[in-house]
Amino acid sequence: MLLKKVYMFGGKGGVGKSTLACALALWLSERGKTLLASLDPAHSLSGILRTSVGSNITHILPNLYAVELDAQSLARGYVDRVLKGLEEVLSPSVLEGAKRFASLISSSPTSLETAVFDKLSELLPQYEYVVLDFAPTGQVLRFFDSLNLVKEWLEFLFQLSQRQEEIDWFMNRKRNLPQLLKERLQKVKFLAETLKEKGLLFAVARQEPLALQEAQMLEKNSFIKTKRVINFSEEATEGLSIPRVEDPYGIENLKKIPIEKLAL
């Protein structure tokens, strides 16, 4: 696997985490194949990079790729694949009801996050460095909680399916559901283990109380190693800090941000 490191940016809205994510991805791309991915529903990569980025992976520079993940579209595709796997298990009437129910739950936070987990597990092995730009603090904490919950739920379902598989073997029947669950479980496990092993979360803040409070919330998470970064710093501070850079938008101006200390 190519992957060396996954960098994640979280924090209060307006602290400049997306700008730092773009600057770090640009710096990393000079050292290896890099993916910059936005998980924030209010995407801002296009505005910061000053180049069009969409829901399909965009080639920005020789070693830099970017994408603004469309969670709604991913969730619809994910639910459709799951329903496809259930066709041989459920009766037509029950399947029809499941499809109607799926149209409602495909927009739920858990469905959106599960679809994003699925996509990230496919993308991570293709790059040396991955930079993830999150929505404000609440999404980051829910992302880690949901990842653990979905993993535990899939483990439970897979155990049940294995018992059903024994009955099917005795009855000379074969279903694809156990294999489908196994594949989903492997993807979620891979993502969780990779983020724990190779991930680093930057809790970005400014020198103001609310931003520092949210950074502290992120630092308390028990899932992943976390470092606080003070952005727009005008004086020396403990730990990591980034000074203010005027008009830090576009490829050339992003290079002016002294971001390399975050990767060291």
Side-chain angles (χ1 to χ4, degrees):
M1 183 170 67
L2 287 172
L3 188 66
K4 296 178 180 177
K5 197 76 176 178
V6 181
Y7 297 96
M8 290 162 276
F9 286 81
K12 186 177 180 295
V15 296
K17 56 187 178 294
S18 298
T19 302
L20 296 186
C22 289
L24 180 59
L26 182 61
W27 188 86
L28 290 169
S29 71
E30 296 176 354
R31 288 146 185 86
K33 188 179 180 183
T34 301
L35 174 68
L36 169 64
S38 170
L39 279 65
D40 186 344
H43 300 297
S44 58
L45 299 188
S46 296
I48 295 170
L49 293 170
R50 288 187 173 163
T51 188
S52 179
V53 178
S55 58
N56 295 317
I57 293 177
T58 304
H59 195 178
I60 305 295
L61 291 172
N63 263 337
L64 179 60
Y65 301 79
V67 63
E68 295 177 333
L69 293 178
D70 181 352
Q72 291 277 2
S73 177
L74 291 175
R76 286 193 294 270
Y78 180 81
V79 169
D80 287 345
R81 290 195 298 275
V82 172
L83 288 173
K84 184 70 175 176
L86 293 175
E87 285 182 353
E88 61 180 25
V89 180
L90 303 179
S91 67
S93 60
V94 174
L95 182 63
E96 186 60 33
K99 288 180 178 179
R100 287 197 299 270
F101 183 62
S103 68
L104 298 175
I105 65 170
S106 61
S107 297
S108 71
T110 302
S111 294
L112 297 175
E113 287 157 358
T114 303
V116 170
F117 300 156
D118 194 66
K119 187 63 176 179
L120 287 177
S121 69
E122 295 175 2
L123 291 175
L124 262 56
Q126 302 177 40
Y127 300 88
E128 292 178 74
Y129 303 102
V130 174
V131 180
L132 302 179
D133 177 34
F134 281 89
T137 304
Q139 187 207 27
V140 184
L141 296 175
R142 190 176 65 243
F143 180 91
F144 296 143
D145 287 343
S146 295
L147 187 55
N148 279 326
L149 288 171
V150 169
K151 181 170 72 70
E152 292 174 3
W153 176 239
L154 286 173
E155 285 173 341
F156 172 72
L157 290 178
F158 181 61
Q159 289 173 359
L160 289 181
S161 73
Q162 285 183 308
R163 295 174 188 171
Q164 181 63 46
E165 196 171 31
E166 294 173 3
I167 298 173
D168 287 341
W169 178 84
F170 180 77
M171 300 293 292
N172 196 27
R173 296 181 307 203
K174 184 173 177 61
R175 304 176 197 257
N176 291 328
L177 184 59
Q179 183 60 32
L180 178 67
L181 288 170
K182 183 179 180 180
E183 290 172 1
R184 294 287 175 265
L185 178 58
Q186 287 175 336
K187 284 186 173 185
V188 171
K189 276 187 170 181
F190 165 77
L191 181 60
E193 291 167 3
T194 300
L195 292 182
K196 286 182 178 180
E197 179 186 347
K198 299 184 177 182
L200 175 60
L201 172 63
F202 292 117
V204 183
R206 303 176 72 164
Q207 285 287 25
E208 57 95 4
L210 290 179
L212 292 170
Q213 182 180 9
E214 292 200 18
Q216 188 176 40
M217 290 169 60
L218 291 174
E219 288 176 306
K220 290 180 179 179
N221 89 83
S222 59
F223 185 88
I224 193 170
K225 182 180 179 182
T226 305
K227 291 185 177 181
R228 183 182 302 190
V229 178
I230 302 300
N231 199 19
F232 307 117
S233 177
E234 296 178 357
E235 57 185 32
T237 60
E238 285 188 23
L240 298 169
S241 62
I242 303 293
R244 180 183 297 276
V245 172
E246 294 299 325
D247 189 31
Y249 306 116
I251 301 295
E252 292 307 313
N253 284 354
L254 284 166
K255 290 180 179 179
K256 297 176 182 177
I257 300 175
I259 200 72
E260 62 276 4
K261 64 181 72 175
L262 300 191
L264 300 178

